[in-house]
Amino acid sequence: MSDAPGRTVIENCAIATVDAHGTEYARGHLVLAGDRIESLGAGAAPEGLAGVVRRIDAEGHLATPGLVNTHHHFYQFLTRGLATDHNLFDWLTALYPTWARIDEAMCRAGALGSLAMMARGGCTTAMDHHYIHPRGAGDLSGAIIQAARETGVRFTLARGSMDRGESDGGLPPDFAVESLEGALAATEETVDRHHDASFGAMTQIAVAPCSPFSVSTELLTQSAELARRKGVRMHTHGSETVEEETWCRELFGMGPTDYFESTGWLGADVWMAHCVHMNDADLAAFARTGTGVAHCPSSNARLAAGIARVPDMLAAGIPVGLGVDGTASNEAGELHTELRGAVLVNRLGPHREAALTARQALRLGTYGGAQVLGRAAEIGSLEPGKLADLVLWRLDTLAHASIADPVAALVLGAPAPVTASFVGGRQLVADGRLTTVDEDEIAASTRSEARRLAEIAGE
């Protein structure tokens, strides 16, 4: 391939490919050509490569696939640090009146803040489950998608919806929910306008009613039909708390998993957030149907939801990725810290020290995330022909220098600095700073919009 465009050569780094064999190189190289990984391996890059426009000496670094975030709520960046001692239902009740006041400018600021925090920490593919659409708030989906384009992160918008307001026994205020017909029409329009099904797409759309306790059975059922008619993926919250289990049994006469299956919401095109309270039959149903899971350890701990059975899910062959979740329940807003969190939280469960290894955690945050987003053929591992979405983590500073195993250093050590991050061969981070957007401007914007939201909500 001597005519390959603009080769970038990265050398002298440790490499964790996260491929099917878990291939690693103690000292190796990568060659990027255009938006793809052309080659990689042990030792130095081949001599005589044509069209090399850049060489990076990555001594002291670990190269991994870019991290893939599988669950988030960007708008919550504006309500961090509130209701810090609440369980899920009390937390939702406390914050919904504020969230119901968001508008387009707020969504843009929250999206930029959320994306910037993740991108500067090694996340190259993000998703946003945006389910709150107050009347007259503007083009919220468009604002979020534009923020992702500006940041340069590969992106899935899970176009969410709610049609069960307070008057119907739901938690959100009535003016913050849509009608059944309105939600379906707006979701289909978002798919038609923004979804790109091609290899290497930067923007994709999923159909994503919020949760069993905020949407009607009709919205769940018809959303599944819409998604499958359009050929897009499906996402929702599931089995997050004990209270949700009780609520489903009282209202529907069955647990969340059986309810989801009755509405068409299990399948290889579906992934659900949390899945904390699942019995053996629930896990078997997910395994049988190929339904995926977004594991959010920090948020689950923050809201005292419990410990998801991730080791059992992996043993059953269930696809599992990692999620930040909304920054109103994970104020850090970073995905790379969830690698460590996944190991530590799951070791508090019944499997104890055998629950998750450092390498399993890295796989959750990369290839596992690619699986649940339906993009494992494109991203999630470092292999020739895949998209050049990768990160160089610096591991030779005081924080990590005495840890011989680079993967253990990355996962179990302090948050590692990101020297470089690439999406489709385009560099998004240089020496820990974003190259595509101004972090200081975003900080000022999020602070301003958070204050404006608080003032409006307090009126």
Side-chain angles (χ1 to χ4, degrees), residues 231-259:
V232 298
R233 297 183 75 75
M234 300 155 56
H235 181 61
T236 190
H237 297 91
S239 301
E240 186 172 1
T241 65
V242 172
E243 292 84 359
E244 178 187 332
E245 169 88 14
T246 301
W247 192 90
C248 283
R249 290 196 179 280
E250 289 179 353
L251 198 64
F252 307 122
M254 64 186 90
T257 299
D258 289 338
Y259 176 60

PDB file of all heavy atoms in Angstrom, residues 231-259:
ATOM      1  N   GLY A 231     -33.798  -0.134  11.119  1.00  0.00           N
ATOM      2  CA  GLY A 231     -32.499  -0.788  11.172  1.00  0.00           C
ATOM      3  C   GLY A 231     -31.505  -0.122  12.103  1.00  0.00           C
ATOM      4  O   GLY A 231     -30.293  -0.121  11.825  1.00  0.00           O
ATOM      5  N   VAL A 232     -31.997   0.432  13.212  1.00  0.00           N
ATOM      6  CA  VAL A 232     -31.103   1.059  14.183  1.00  0.00           C
ATOM      7  C   VAL A 232     -31.206   0.334  15.526  1.00  0.00           C
ATOM      8  O   VAL A 232     -32.129  -0.446  15.765  1.00  0.00           O
ATOM      9  CB  VAL A 232     -31.421   2.560  14.373  1.00  0.00           C
ATOM     10  CG1 VAL A 232     -31.231   3.313  13.060  1.00  0.00           C
ATOM     11  CG2 VAL A 232     -32.837   2.763  14.906  1.00  0.00           C
ATOM     12  N   ARG A 233     -30.270   0.615  16.412  1.00  0.00           N
ATOM     13  CA  ARG A 233     -30.215  -0.078  17.689  1.00  0.00           C
ATOM     14  C   ARG A 233     -31.173   0.536  18.698  1.00  0.00           C
ATOM     15  O   ARG A 233     -31.705   1.645  18.492  1.00  0.00           O
ATOM     16  CB  ARG A 233     -28.774  -0.084  18.226  1.00  0.00           C
ATOM     17  CG  ARG A 233     -27.838  -0.857  17.298  1.00  0.00           C
ATOM     18  CD  ARG A 233     -26.440  -0.944  17.833  1.00  0.00           C
ATOM     19  NE  ARG A 233     -26.306  -1.908  18.926  1.00  0.00           N
ATOM     20  CZ  ARG A 233     -26.295  -3.219  18.762  1.00  0.00           C
ATOM     21  NH1 ARG A 233     -26.435  -3.761  17.559  1.00  0.00           N
ATOM     22  NH2 ARG A 233     -26.149  -4.019  19.803  1.00  0.00           N
ATOM     23  N   MET A 234     -31.345  -0.191  19.806  1.00  0.00           N
ATOM     24  CA  MET A 234     -32.329   0.192  20.829  1.00  0.00           C
ATOM     25  C   MET A 234     -31.656   0.225  22.192  1.00  0.00           C
ATOM     26  O   MET A 234     -30.850  -0.650  22.526  1.00  0.00           O
ATOM     27  CB  MET A 234     -33.475  -0.820  20.837  1.00  0.00           C
ATOM     28  CG  MET A 234     -34.212  -0.914  19.512  1.00  0.00           C
ATOM     29  SD  MET A 234     -35.032  -2.532  19.251  1.00  0.00           S
ATOM     30  CE  MET A 234     -36.074  -2.640  20.704  1.00  0.00           C
ATOM     31  N   HIS A 235     -32.030   1.230  23.006  1.00  0.00           N
ATOM     32  CA  HIS A 235     -31.400   1.392  24.320  1.00  0.00           C
ATOM     33  C   HIS A 235     -32.412   1.897  25.331  1.00  0.00           C
ATOM     34  O   HIS A 235     -33.299   2.686  25.002  1.00  0.00           O
ATOM     35  CB  HIS A 235     -30.248   2.402  24.206  1.00  0.00           C
ATOM     36  CG  HIS A 235     -29.515   2.631  25.499  1.00  0.00           C
ATOM     37  ND1 HIS A 235     -28.867   1.630  26.167  1.00  0.00           N
ATOM     38  CD2 HIS A 235     -29.326   3.755  26.240  1.00  0.00           C
ATOM     39  CE1 HIS A 235     -28.310   2.111  27.268  1.00  0.00           C
ATOM     40  NE2 HIS A 235     -28.585   3.404  27.343  1.00  0.00           N
ATOM     41  N   THR A 236     -32.277   1.434  26.580  1.00  0.00           N
ATOM     42  CA  THR A 236     -33.105   1.938  27.666  1.00  0.00           C
ATOM     43  C   THR A 236     -32.430   1.595  28.986  1.00  0.00           C
ATOM     44  O   THR A 236     -31.380   0.942  29.025  1.00  0.00           O
ATOM     45  CB  THR A 236     -34.527   1.345  27.609  1.00  0.00           C
ATOM     46  OG1 THR A 236     -35.366   2.036  28.543  1.00  0.00           O
ATOM     47  CG2 THR A 236     -34.531  -0.144  27.916  1.00  0.00           C
ATOM     48  N   HIS A 237     -33.019   2.068  30.101  1.00  0.00           N
ATOM     49  CA  HIS A 237     -32.592   1.669  31.435  1.00  0.00           C
ATOM     50  C   HIS A 237     -33.324   0.383  31.827  1.00  0.00           C
ATOM     51  O   HIS A 237     -34.517   0.245  31.545  1.00  0.00           O
ATOM     52  CB  HIS A 237     -32.955   2.736  32.471  1.00  0.00           C
ATOM     53  CG  HIS A 237     -32.291   4.053  32.273  1.00  0.00           C
ATOM     54  ND1 HIS A 237     -32.839   5.066  31.524  1.00  0.00           N
ATOM     55  CD2 HIS A 237     -31.119   4.542  32.758  1.00  0.00           C
ATOM     56  CE1 HIS A 237     -32.039   6.117  31.543  1.00  0.00           C
ATOM     57  NE2 HIS A 237     -30.984   5.828  32.284  1.00  0.00           N
ATOM     58  N   GLY A 238     -32.627  -0.507  32.532  1.00  0.00           N
ATOM     59  CA  GLY A 238     -33.292  -1.723  32.966  1.00  0.00           C
ATOM     60  C   GLY A 238     -32.736  -2.272  34.262  1.00  0.00           C
ATOM     61  O   GLY A 238     -31.520  -2.264  34.481  1.00  0.00           O
ATOM     62  N   SER A 239     -33.624  -2.726  35.125  1.00  0.00           N
ATOM     63  CA  SER A 239     -33.259  -3.437  36.359  1.00  0.00           C
ATOM     64  C   SER A 239     -32.205  -2.687  37.172  1.00  0.00           C
ATOM     65  O   SER A 239     -31.262  -3.286  37.699  1.00  0.00           O
ATOM     66  CB  SER A 239     -32.744  -4.848  36.028  1.00  0.00           C
ATOM     67  OG  SER A 239     -33.730  -5.583  35.348  1.00  0.00           O
ATOM     68  N   GLU A 240     -32.404  -1.381  37.316  1.00  0.00           N
ATOM     69  CA  GLU A 240     -31.395  -0.580  38.013  1.00  0.00           C
ATOM     70  C   GLU A 240     -31.502  -0.699  39.532  1.00  0.00           C
ATOM     71  O   GLU A 240     -30.482  -0.715  40.225  1.00  0.00           O
ATOM     72  CB  GLU A 240     -31.505   0.885  37.588  1.00  0.00           C
ATOM     73  CG  GLU A 240     -30.406   1.766  38.163  1.00  0.00           C
ATOM     74  CD  GLU A 240     -30.410   3.173  37.594  1.00  0.00           C
ATOM     75  OE1 GLU A 240     -31.283   3.498  36.757  1.00  0.00           O
ATOM     76  OE2 GLU A 240     -29.540   3.965  37.984  1.00  0.00           O
ATOM     77  N   THR A 241     -32.731  -0.760  40.045  1.00  0.00           N
ATOM     78  CA  THR A 241     -32.909  -0.741  41.498  1.00  0.00           C
ATOM     79  C   THR A 241     -33.932  -1.777  41.951  1.00  0.00           C
ATOM     80  O   THR A 241     -34.739  -2.278  41.160  1.00  0.00           O
ATOM     81  CB  THR A 241     -33.395   0.646  41.973  1.00  0.00           C
ATOM     82  OG1 THR A 241     -34.705   0.886  41.436  1.00  0.00           O
ATOM     83  CG2 THR A 241     -32.442   1.748  41.555  1.00  0.00           C
ATOM     84  N   VAL A 242     -33.916  -2.055  43.246  1.00  0.00           N
ATOM     85  CA  VAL A 242     -34.930  -2.927  43.846  1.00  0.00           C
ATOM     86  C   VAL A 242     -36.313  -2.312  43.685  1.00  0.00           C
ATOM     87  O   VAL A 242     -37.305  -3.014  43.425  1.00  0.00           O
ATOM     88  CB  VAL A 242     -34.616  -3.164  45.337  1.00  0.00           C
ATOM     89  CG1 VAL A 242     -35.770  -3.898  46.015  1.00  0.00           C
ATOM     90  CG2 VAL A 242     -33.321  -3.950  45.492  1.00  0.00           C
ATOM     91  N   GLU A 243     -36.395  -0.974  43.817  1.00  0.00           N
ATOM     92  CA  GLU A 243     -37.683  -0.286  43.685  1.00  0.00           C
ATOM     93  C   GLU A 243     -38.282  -0.476  42.293  1.00  0.00           C
ATOM     94  O   GLU A 243     -39.501  -0.613  42.150  1.00  0.00           O
ATOM     95  CB  GLU A 243     -37.511   1.204  43.992  1.00  0.00           C
ATOM     96  CG  GLU A 243     -37.189   1.521  45.438  1.00  0.00           C
ATOM     97  CD  GLU A 243     -35.713   1.407  45.774  1.00  0.00           C
ATOM     98  OE1 GLU A 243     -34.908   1.064  44.878  1.00  0.00           O
ATOM     99  OE2 GLU A 243     -35.355   1.660  46.941  1.00  0.00           O
ATOM    100  N   GLU A 244     -37.437  -0.505  41.256  1.00  0.00           N
ATOM    101  CA  GLU A 244     -37.930  -0.726  39.890  1.00  0.00           C
ATOM    102  C   GLU A 244     -38.527  -2.124  39.759  1.00  0.00           C
ATOM    103  O   GLU A 244     -39.572  -2.308  39.134  1.00  0.00           O
ATOM    104  CB  GLU A 244     -36.799  -0.545  38.884  1.00  0.00           C
ATOM    105  CG  GLU A 244     -37.217  -0.795  37.440  1.00  0.00           C
ATOM    106  CD  GLU A 244     -36.054  -0.776  36.472  1.00  0.00           C
ATOM    107  OE1 GLU A 244     -35.055  -0.092  36.751  1.00  0.00           O
ATOM    108  OE2 GLU A 244     -36.155  -1.442  35.433  1.00  0.00           O
ATOM    109  N   GLU A 245     -37.857  -3.100  40.344  1.00  0.00           N
ATOM    110  CA  GLU A 245     -38.370  -4.473  40.329  1.00  0.00           C
ATOM    111  C   GLU A 245     -39.755  -4.532  40.972  1.00  0.00           C
ATOM    112  O   GLU A 245     -40.695  -5.116  40.414  1.00  0.00           O
ATOM    113  CB  GLU A 245     -37.391  -5.382  41.091  1.00  0.00           C
ATOM    114  CG  GLU A 245     -37.913  -6.772  41.383  1.00  0.00           C
ATOM    115  CD  GLU A 245     -37.639  -7.772  40.269  1.00  0.00           C
ATOM    116  OE1 GLU A 245     -36.822  -7.468  39.377  1.00  0.00           O
ATOM    117  OE2 GLU A 245     -38.254  -8.846  40.283  1.00  0.00           O
ATOM    118  N   THR A 246     -39.878  -3.896  42.145  1.00  0.00           N
ATOM    119  CA  THR A 246     -41.165  -3.895  42.844  1.00  0.00           C
ATOM    120  C   THR A 246     -42.233  -3.187  42.025  1.00  0.00           C
ATOM    121  O   THR A 246     -43.375  -3.668  41.909  1.00  0.00           O
ATOM    122  CB  THR A 246     -41.007  -3.207  44.214  1.00  0.00           C
ATOM    123  OG1 THR A 246     -40.022  -3.914  44.977  1.00  0.00           O
ATOM    124  CG2 THR A 246     -42.321  -3.187  44.976  1.00  0.00           C
ATOM    125  N   TRP A 247     -41.869  -2.066  41.444  1.00  0.00           N
ATOM    126  CA  TRP A 247     -42.799  -1.248  40.652  1.00  0.00           C
ATOM    127  C   TRP A 247     -43.315  -2.056  39.457  1.00  0.00           C
ATOM    128  O   TRP A 247     -44.519  -2.072  39.167  1.00  0.00           O
ATOM    129  CB  TRP A 247     -42.091   0.019  40.202  1.00  0.00           C
ATOM    130  CG  TRP A 247     -42.970   1.073  39.632  1.00  0.00           C
ATOM    131  CD1 TRP A 247     -43.589   2.089  40.289  1.00  0.00           C
ATOM    132  CD2 TRP A 247     -43.307   1.232  38.238  1.00  0.00           C
ATOM    133  NE1 TRP A 247     -44.300   2.866  39.407  1.00  0.00           N
ATOM    134  CE2 TRP A 247     -44.143   2.356  38.150  1.00  0.00           C
ATOM    135  CE3 TRP A 247     -42.982   0.534  37.074  1.00  0.00           C
ATOM    136  CZ2 TRP A 247     -44.667   2.805  36.933  1.00  0.00           C
ATOM    137  CZ3 TRP A 247     -43.498   0.973  35.872  1.00  0.00           C
ATOM    138  CH2 TRP A 247     -44.327   2.090  35.812  1.00  0.00           C
ATOM    139  N   CYS A 248     -42.411  -2.746  38.747  1.00  0.00           N
ATOM    140  CA  CYS A 248     -42.821  -3.532  37.580  1.00  0.00           C
ATOM    141  C   CYS A 248     -43.756  -4.681  37.981  1.00  0.00           C
ATOM    142  O   CYS A 248     -44.747  -4.954  37.295  1.00  0.00           O
ATOM    143  CB  CYS A 248     -41.592  -4.085  36.856  1.00  0.00           C
ATOM    144  SG  CYS A 248     -40.709  -2.877  35.840  1.00  0.00           S
ATOM    145  N   ARG A 249     -43.452  -5.328  39.074  1.00  0.00           N
ATOM    146  CA  ARG A 249     -44.292  -6.450  39.495  1.00  0.00           C
ATOM    147  C   ARG A 249     -45.681  -5.967  39.913  1.00  0.00           C
ATOM    148  O   ARG A 249     -46.694  -6.632  39.624  1.00  0.00           O
ATOM    149  CB  ARG A 249     -43.615  -7.221  40.628  1.00  0.00           C
ATOM    150  CG  ARG A 249     -42.388  -7.978  40.159  1.00  0.00           C
ATOM    151  CD  ARG A 249     -41.934  -9.040  41.132  1.00  0.00           C
ATOM    152  NE  ARG A 249     -40.768  -9.756  40.608  1.00  0.00           N
ATOM    153  CZ  ARG A 249     -40.805 -10.726  39.704  1.00  0.00           C
ATOM    154  NH1 ARG A 249     -41.978 -11.127  39.231  1.00  0.00           N
ATOM    155  NH2 ARG A 249     -39.701 -11.308  39.285  1.00  0.00           N
ATOM    156  N   GLU A 250     -45.741  -4.809  40.571  1.00  0.00           N
ATOM    157  CA  GLU A 250     -47.039  -4.284  40.982  1.00  0.00           C
ATOM    158  C   GLU A 250     -47.866  -3.830  39.788  1.00  0.00           C
ATOM    159  O   GLU A 250     -49.081  -4.041  39.739  1.00  0.00           O
ATOM    160  CB  GLU A 250     -46.832  -3.114  41.957  1.00  0.00           C
ATOM    161  CG  GLU A 250     -46.326  -3.535  43.327  1.00  0.00           C
ATOM    162  CD  GLU A 250     -46.100  -2.359  44.248  1.00  0.00           C
ATOM    163  OE1 GLU A 250     -46.214  -1.204  43.781  1.00  0.00           O
ATOM    164  OE2 GLU A 250     -45.791  -2.587  45.435  1.00  0.00           O
ATOM    165  N   LEU A 251     -47.218  -3.211  38.802  1.00  0.00           N
ATOM    166  CA  LEU A 251     -47.954  -2.640  37.679  1.00  0.00           C
ATOM    167  C   LEU A 251     -48.215  -3.645  36.563  1.00  0.00           C
ATOM    168  O   LEU A 251     -49.285  -3.655  35.962  1.00  0.00           O
ATOM    169  CB  LEU A 251     -47.197  -1.429  37.122  1.00  0.00           C
ATOM    170  CG  LEU A 251     -48.006  -0.474  36.257  1.00  0.00           C
ATOM    171  CD1 LEU A 251     -49.112   0.187  37.075  1.00  0.00           C
ATOM    172  CD2 LEU A 251     -47.108   0.602  35.645  1.00  0.00           C
ATOM    173  N   PHE A 252     -47.217  -4.506  36.284  1.00  0.00           N
ATOM    174  CA  PHE A 252     -47.309  -5.396  35.123  1.00  0.00           C
ATOM    175  C   PHE A 252     -47.437  -6.864  35.499  1.00  0.00           C
ATOM    176  O   PHE A 252     -47.655  -7.717  34.636  1.00  0.00           O
ATOM    177  CB  PHE A 252     -46.085  -5.225  34.218  1.00  0.00           C
ATOM    178  CG  PHE A 252     -45.811  -3.805  33.818  1.00  0.00           C
ATOM    179  CD1 PHE A 252     -44.594  -3.196  34.111  1.00  0.00           C
ATOM    180  CD2 PHE A 252     -46.769  -3.052  33.155  1.00  0.00           C
ATOM    181  CE1 PHE A 252     -44.335  -1.894  33.741  1.00  0.00           C
ATOM    182  CE2 PHE A 252     -46.520  -1.746  32.786  1.00  0.00           C
ATOM    183  CZ  PHE A 252     -45.302  -1.159  33.080  1.00  0.00           C
ATOM    184  N   GLY A 253     -47.245  -7.186  36.769  1.00  0.00           N
ATOM    185  CA  GLY A 253     -47.333  -8.575  37.195  1.00  0.00           C
ATOM    186  C   GLY A 253     -46.147  -9.409  36.806  1.00  0.00           C
ATOM    187  O   GLY A 253     -46.236 -10.651  36.781  1.00  0.00           O
ATOM    188  N   MET A 254     -45.030  -8.769  36.502  1.00  0.00           N
ATOM    189  CA  MET A 254     -43.811  -9.492  36.118  1.00  0.00           C
ATOM    190  C   MET A 254     -42.608  -8.600  36.379  1.00  0.00           C
ATOM    191  O   MET A 254     -42.736  -7.378  36.538  1.00  0.00           O
ATOM    192  CB  MET A 254     -43.862  -9.909  34.644  1.00  0.00           C
ATOM    193  CG  MET A 254     -43.903  -8.748  33.666  1.00  0.00           C
ATOM    194  SD  MET A 254     -44.122  -9.266  31.936  1.00  0.00           S
ATOM    195  CE  MET A 254     -45.919  -9.263  31.824  1.00  0.00           C
ATOM    196  N   GLY A 255     -41.420  -9.197  36.420  1.00  0.00           N
ATOM    197  CA  GLY A 255     -40.197  -8.439  36.614  1.00  0.00           C
ATOM    198  C   GLY A 255     -39.790  -7.685  35.363  1.00  0.00           C
ATOM    199  O   GLY A 255     -40.349  -7.899  34.279  1.00  0.00           O
ATOM    200  N   PRO A 256     -38.778  -6.787  35.466  1.00  0.00           N
ATOM    201  CA  PRO A 256     -38.379  -5.962  34.323  1.00  0.00           C
ATOM    202  C   PRO A 256     -37.976  -6.757  33.090  1.00  0.00           C
ATOM    203  O   PRO A 256     -38.380  -6.415  31.973  1.00  0.00           O
ATOM    204  CB  PRO A 256     -37.201  -5.152  34.873  1.00  0.00           C
ATOM    205  CG  PRO A 256     -37.457  -5.068  36.338  1.00  0.00           C
ATOM    206  CD  PRO A 256     -38.072  -6.384  36.705  1.00  0.00           C
ATOM    207  N   THR A 257     -37.197  -7.818  33.252  1.00  0.00           N
ATOM    208  CA  THR A 257     -36.729  -8.560  32.073  1.00  0.00           C
ATOM    209  C   THR A 257     -37.883  -9.203  31.319  1.00  0.00           C
ATOM    210  O   THR A 257     -37.963  -9.130  30.083  1.00  0.00           O
ATOM    211  CB  THR A 257     -35.689  -9.619  32.475  1.00  0.00           C
ATOM    212  OG1 THR A 257     -34.558  -8.970  33.074  1.00  0.00           O
ATOM    213  CG2 THR A 257     -35.217 -10.408  31.265  1.00  0.00           C
ATOM    214  N   ASP A 258     -38.791  -9.840  32.041  1.00  0.00           N
ATOM    215  CA  ASP A 258     -39.954 -10.443  31.381  1.00  0.00           C
ATOM    216  C   ASP A 258     -40.815  -9.372  30.722  1.00  0.00           C
ATOM    217  O   ASP A 258     -41.366  -9.582  29.621  1.00  0.00           O
ATOM    218  CB  ASP A 258     -40.786 -11.234  32.391  1.00  0.00           C
ATOM    219  CG  ASP A 258     -40.093 -12.511  32.841  1.00  0.00           C
ATOM    220  OD1 ASP A 258     -39.215 -13.000  32.108  1.00  0.00           O
ATOM    221  OD2 ASP A 258     -40.421 -13.007  33.934  1.00  0.00           O
ATOM    222  N   TYR A 259     -40.938  -8.233  31.382  1.00  0.00           N
ATOM    223  CA  TYR A 259     -41.707  -7.133  30.797  1.00  0.00           C
ATOM    224  C   TYR A 259     -41.051  -6.649  29.513  1.00  0.00           C
ATOM    225  O   TYR A 259     -41.728  -6.443  28.490  1.00  0.00           O
ATOM    226  CB  TYR A 259     -41.837  -5.994  31.803  1.00  0.00           C
ATOM    227  CG  TYR A 259     -42.538  -4.775  31.263  1.00  0.00           C
ATOM    228  CD1 TYR A 259     -43.844  -4.838  30.799  1.00  0.00           C
ATOM    229  CD2 TYR A 259     -41.873  -3.547  31.204  1.00  0.00           C
ATOM    230  CE1 TYR A 259     -44.485  -3.709  30.296  1.00  0.00           C
ATOM    231  CE2 TYR A 259     -42.503  -2.415  30.708  1.00  0.00           C
ATOM    232  CZ  TYR A 259     -43.798  -2.503  30.252  1.00  0.00           C
ATOM    233  OH  TYR A 259     -44.424  -1.385  29.757  1.00  0.00           O
TER     234      TYR A 259
END
